[in-house]
Amino acid sequence: MRRGYSEYTRRFSRDDLLREVDAKISPLFKEIVPSDDREWLLTNGLGGYASTTLMGNLRRKFHGLLIASLSPPVRRWVFVSNVDDEIYIDDVPRRFENHHFNLLPIPRFTCNFGGLTIEKSFVMPRHENTLIIRYRSLDGSDFRLRVRPILNSRHFYDLNSGVRFDVDLDDGNILAKPDNIERTLRIICKFKEFRRKLTWREYRYDIDRERGEGWIDHGLEIGEIELMSEDGKAYIVFTIEDRYYDPELEVRKEIDRRRDLINRSGLPSEMIPLLLSADGFIVKRRNHATIIAGYHWFADWGRDSLISLPGLLLVTRRFDEARSLLLNLSRYMDKGILPNAFTEKEDVPIYNSVDASLWFVDRVYQYLKYTNDIDFLREIWPKLVSVIEHFEKGTLFDIRVDEDGLLHHGPGLTWMDVKIGDRYITPRSGKAVEIQALWYNALRIIGIFSSLLGDGRAEHYHSLAEKARKSFRERFRSFCDVLDSDFSLRPNIVILPSLDFVMIDHELSSRIVDTIEKELLTPYGLRTLNRGDPRYKPRLIGDYDKDVAYHNGCVWPWLLGFFVRAYLRVNGYSKEKRLFALRRYVLPLMDNLTEGCVGSINEIFDGDYPHLPRGCISQAWSVGELLRCIVEDILYIRPEYEDLFRSYTN
């Protein structure tokens, strides 16, 4: 039976492990002093979001208060850049300054106006392109408020240059219709007065400028909206949806939805911030669940979704969404290959991955370890077989099984896939080490499934696996990144000892863990190249194209979860080793939860100290692997049916 929440609390409620996790996460339950280096993020389950700095400023073209998803989860469109708001104190308008920020239960800013404390909170109704701002006095007294919305109309990759707006009143709503898209923004509020005055503002996004991207934008201030609170509350709703909103009901619904997620997970309250961060990545694609790879700018990616899946959907017990995601991805399979990504503007699948299909096989196995959903296995089985058969006989991108049983592939097909012009920065063609680990792991899993379903091919799959294992052991005589061709010291070798089915022995696994800790480990994850390599780039931003540094020095947090699992596999899962792994490897990364994007983990960090956060401010596999690692490896809450599936292992 599954280890229930009550048993968990009896075993761990006074344990050092949970107390030390709590020490890192508890600041997220408290007021955080705002700065322009910290950002907040609120998502709507469609790919849309609201996000600014904690000072309420815009430093990126991706910042804004209503970024809608017009073809979920892609085609993100900026409709509301920001709002200027002032509270009247003795008829004198005063701005929100010297405020504090709280992440939970919903993002909110609190400001004391000399006796009157106003809380400004944000809610995005689930699966709707809508933002609700609630202003509330904490003592219930009424107040007067002035709001100046700044609108926009552009794809969030682009910058505004010459959009025209029609701004009108209709049935008590303010309607803003841009001329570059067939959508109308409605501003819903019980305004006392609306003074229409169109004024263009210039925005200069310093972070985009540093990244070498376009950085000068324009937003349209449409005038002043004056409001009077009722029972100490006032609301303003921005939406492109065509429906009526009861703002207070929507606030309560969202808080209740979040509470239900927490209760369903069965995890302790210390995990709430990570659970809610995980929730932000889970979105809809044509009525199926999928995972946004990272905010602000990524869409849903096949590889990223699959690597993130255990942490975001399994340890949180969101099994229906895990099943939906796997089924949805399988529908896009072509000749055994899953899409690596979907384009943001055109929403077209891109096929350029050798490992997405292998991660897919593994994630079906992880899902079954949690659910024992054999009906799902029968449904998905033809797709799993298709992966192996196409890889065996040869498929797209020069993917094929060689005579030695190992998997050959073309360039640019692994997660290190940056291409500048016609040149791959890390081509890794041939036989990349983690691809061989995933291939062996997939063959063993397919063999187990074949035995379980009784389809008669189990022996063939196990024979293929054994041939691959033997060949790899013969050829992996010194650390390398690609067999026989690239002897760079990169973190991809961490996959070898960290999968369910490992093709190397304990001694080699131990050497890999020791070498990675010595050469690649940082407080925020693993470097993508050791510092002694002449190609190593210490920072993302330098006198070179930032994409060169992306996989040649930058630190990636998602790899830390696999490293922790490998470390505990090698050294044993005693409480002492788990406590050591928590203190030594996991807690330093958790410092990022109160920096960067509050409550989340960045995509990457600079390779050298001080390891500045870079890339996406909130990355799915960074959060997913941290959450999975804490639950499965540190707290050692294992999948309910893990032992059952081990019984099928030869």
Side-chain angles (χ1 to χ4, degrees):
M1 294 180 63
R2 180 179 181 270
R3 201 174 280 120
Y5 180 59
S6 59
E7 179 185 347
Y8 170 80
T9 53
R10 284 197 300 272
R11 293 185 62 199
F12 288 103
S13 60
R14 297 183 183 275
D15 197 281
D16 290 341
L17 294 165
L18 201 53
R19 284 203 301 271
E20 297 203 23
V21 170
D22 180 51
K24 287 291 184 182
I25 287 184
S26 59
L28 294 170
F29 292 90
K30 302 173 183 177
E31 291 184 339
I32 297 174
V33 177
S35 76
D36 265 346
D37 292 326
R38 294 187 176 103
E39 301 168 65
W40 65 277
L41 173 71
L42 177 66
T43 65
N44 67 359
L46 293 176
Y49 64 87
S51 179
T52 71
T53 74
L54 262 59
M55 295 298 292
N57 297 322
L58 312 181
R59 297 185 62 197
R60 309 174 186 266
K61 58 177 168 284
F62 301 101
H63 278 153
L65 291 184
L66 179 56
I67 289 84
S69 179
L70 303 182
S71 179
V74 294
R75 289 192 65 212
R76 266 73 65 88
W77 200 267
V78 183
F79 284 100
V80 181
S81 289
N82 212 345
V83 296
D84 279 350
D85 40 25
E86 298 168 322
I87 303 294
Y88 282 85
I89 306 295
D90 298 327
D91 289 327
V92 177
R94 293 180 53 184
R95 297 175 60 84
F96 273 78
E97 295 175 337
N98 300 317
H99 54 265
H100 291 276
F101 177 79
N102 292 79
L103 178 66
L104 303 169
I106 54 177
R108 63 193 194 279
F109 295 87
T110 305
C111 188
N112 188 295
F113 293 93
L116 179 65
T117 301
I118 301 294
E119 177 189 88
K120 173 184 175 183
S121 54
F122 299 85
V123 161
M124 299 190 89
R126 195 70 173 170
H127 299 144
E128 297 184 24
N129 287 306
T130 299
L131 175 75
I132 298 170
I133 306 177
R134 180 180 72 175
Y135 300 87
R136 179 172 71 103
S137 64
L138 297 191
D139 64 1
S141 59
D142 281 319
F143 55 91
R144 183 174 154 215
L145 171 70
R146 183 168 66 190
V147 177
R148 288 188 291 269
I150 299 100
L151 309 186
N152 216 318
S153 181
R154 60 173 175 82
H155 190 274
F156 74 167
Y157 284 172
D158 301 330
L159 297 167
N160 189 336
S161 57
V163 176
R164 295 179 181 272
F165 284 82
D166 289 328
V167 179
D168 297 300
L169 293 178
D170 180 63
D171 194 24
N173 297 332
I174 301 168
L175 306 183
K177 176 69 177 70
D179 69 355
N180 64 340
I181 192 168
E182 289 299 319
R183 298 294 177 104
T184 297
L185 175 72
R186 287 193 301 144
I187 304 174
I188 306 168
C189 58
K190 295 181 179 180
F191 59 83
K192 181 180 178 182
E193 185 178 4
F194 171 52
R195 292 181 287 274
R196 183 180 183 275
K197 182 180 180 182
L198 306 186
T199 306
W200 286 100
R201 291 190 179 189
E202 183 177 273
Y203 285 106
R204 293 174 173 250
Y205 306 128
D206 62 304
I207 294 178
D208 293 328
R209 182 183 185 183
E210 181 188 26
R211 288 171 54 86
E213 301 174 2
W215 59 285
I216 299 178
D217 191 23
H218 296 85
L220 179 66
E221 181 185 314
I222 62 170
E224 294 181 348
I225 301 171
E226 191 167 320
L227 303 135
M228 285 296 300
S229 68
E230 298 178 3
D231 299 322
K233 298 175 183 176
Y235 303 88
I236 185 164
V237 180
F238 299 96
T239 184
I240 62 169
E241 308 291 349
D242 185 20
R243 82 169 185 86
Y244 168 78
Y245 285 94
D246 177 340
E248 186 59 28
L249 176 62
E250 296 298 333
V251 171
R252 291 199 302 269
K253 281 171 57 178
E254 177 58 16
I255 292 174
D256 288 345
R257 188 190 71 84
R258 292 177 170 217
R259 184 179 295 114
D260 288 344
L261 291 177
I262 294 162
N263 292 337
R264 189 199 321 173
S265 76
L267 296 173
S269 61
E270 289 82 358
M271 307 305 293
I272 288 174
L274 282 174
L275 284 167
L276 296 181
S277 180
D279 177 60
F281 299 104
I282 301 162
V283 300
K284 290 175 65 174
R285 172 177 284 279
R286 299 182 180 90
N287 296 317
H288 287 276
T290 187
I291 290 173
I292 287 287
Y295 292 98
H296 303 102
W297 52 78
F298 284 135
D300 49 338
W301 287 51
R303 176 192 296 116
D304 296 53
S305 294
L306 292 165
I307 291 175
S308 306
L309 187 148
L312 301 186
L313 296 177
L314 297 183
V315 304
T316 59
R317 298 186 62 77
R318 300 178 70 156
F319 301 140
D320 289 344
E321 288 151 307
R323 190 181 199 273
S324 175
L325 185 151
L326 292 167
L327 283 172
N328 186 46
L329 265 180
S330 74
R331 292 184 173 97
Y332 292 94
M333 187 176 287
D334 181 23
K335 298 180 178 62
I337 306 295
L338 286 177
N340 185 38
F342 293 85
T343 58
E344 165 60 35
K345 291 187 176 181
E346 300 83 11
D347 196 14
V348 174
I350 301 172
Y351 295 87
N352 60 346
S353 168
V354 61
D355 54 334
S357 299
L358 302 175
W359 283 116
F360 180 77
V361 175
D362 181 81
R363 276 17 188 173
V364 170
Y365 184 63
Q366 304 308 318
Y367 169 77
L368 286 167
K369 289 197 301 183
Y370 274 91
T371 65
N372 196 27
D373 186 352
I374 303 302
D375 289 339
F376 169 75
L377 175 59
R378 291 192 180 95
E379 182 178 359
I380 207 76
W381 178 241
K383 297 292 186 178
L384 301 177
V385 171
S386 175
V387 172
I388 305 303
E389 288 183 344
H390 278 94
F391 280 29
E392 269 194 276
K393 68 184 181 183
T395 186
L396 306 171
F397 314 119
D398 202 20
I399 298 171
R400 66 180 190 274
V401 178
D402 273 351
E403 292 181 359
D404 58 7
L406 297 173
L407 193 61
H408 180 278
H409 56 86
L413 300 178
T414 73
W415 78 280
M416 292 184 168
D417 56 2
V418 168
K419 189 177 185 181
I420 300 177
D422 295 328
R423 180 172 67 99
Y424 288 106
I425 303 305
T426 49
R428 308 188 72 228
S429 57
K431 295 172 182 175
V433 290
E434 83 277 13
I435 303 306
Q436 310 315 311
L438 287 163
W439 171 238
Y440 173 79
N441 183 69
L443 288 170
R444 293 292 304 275
I445 289 170
I446 294 292
I448 290 172
F449 289 165
S450 179
S451 296
L452 198 157
L453 297 176
D455 86 328
R457 288 177 282 186
E459 186 58 37
H460 172 66
Y461 297 130
H462 288 307
S463 176
L464 282 175
E466 181 58 25
K467 185 176 183 180
R469 185 193 68 81
K470 182 179 179 181
S471 295
F472 188 85
R473 288 191 174 191
E474 289 174 351
R475 297 172 61 180
F476 190 76
R477 298 196 177 278
S478 61
F479 293 157
C480 62
D481 191 52
V482 180
L483 289 181
D484 301 331
S485 63
D486 185 350
F487 292 87
S488 306
L489 181 55
R490 296 186 180 275
N492 301 301
I493 54 175
V494 78
I495 304 300
L496 287 166
S498 61
L499 298 172
D500 279 72
F501 301 99
V502 177
M503 65 197 305
I504 59 175
D505 59 28
H506 183 274
E507 188 274 334
L508 181 54
S509 294
S510 182
R511 285 174 50 216
I512 286 173
V513 169
D514 290 345
T515 301
I516 288 176
E517 176 160 20
K518 179 181 178 182
E519 300 290 344
L520 301 177
L521 181 69
T522 77
Y524 300 109
L526 304 186
R527 293 186 182 94
T528 39
L529 188 64
N530 71 304
R531 298 174 72 191
D533 194 294
R535 295 167 295 175
Y536 176 78
K537 304 298 182 187
R539 291 170 296 279
L540 178 69
I541 307 297
D543 57 353
Y544 40 77
D545 189 316
K546 64 181 181 297
D547 286 340
V548 174
Y550 204 49
H551 296 129
N552 282 311
C554 283
V555 172
W556 290 74
W558 74 271
L559 294 162
L560 188 70
F562 288 86
F563 174 77
V564 170
R565 179 191 280 173
Y567 169 83
L568 291 172
R569 286 265 185 88
V570 167
N571 292 282
Y573 278 90
S574 68
K575 175 183 171 182
E576 291 72 23
K577 291 298 183 183
R578 287 184 285 133
L579 183 58
F580 175 83
L582 174 66
R583 290 172 173 170
R584 176 81 170 94
Y585 309 127
V586 177
L587 294 182
L589 174 59
M590 293 176 69
D591 285 336
N592 188 232
L593 291 169
T594 52
E595 301 295 333
C597 181
V598 172
S600 196
I601 304 292
N602 277 77
E603 175 191 9
I604 54 177
F605 294 79
D606 283 344
D608 276 7
Y609 182 84
H611 304 295
L612 294 177
R614 303 289 192 179
C616 282
I617 65 170
S618 180
Q619 190 79 358
W621 57 13
S622 299
V623 173
E625 267 303 289
L626 176 61
L627 186 51
R628 184 212 59 77
C629 168
I630 292 173
V631 174
E632 287 189 347
D633 296 323
I634 300 298
L635 300 178
Y636 205 65
I637 304 174
R638 304 303 301 176
E640 179 179 357
Y641 299 100
E642 184 171 50
D643 291 341
L644 173 63
F645 279 91
R646 282 177 178 164
S647 69
Y648 289 97
T649 304
N650 288 352

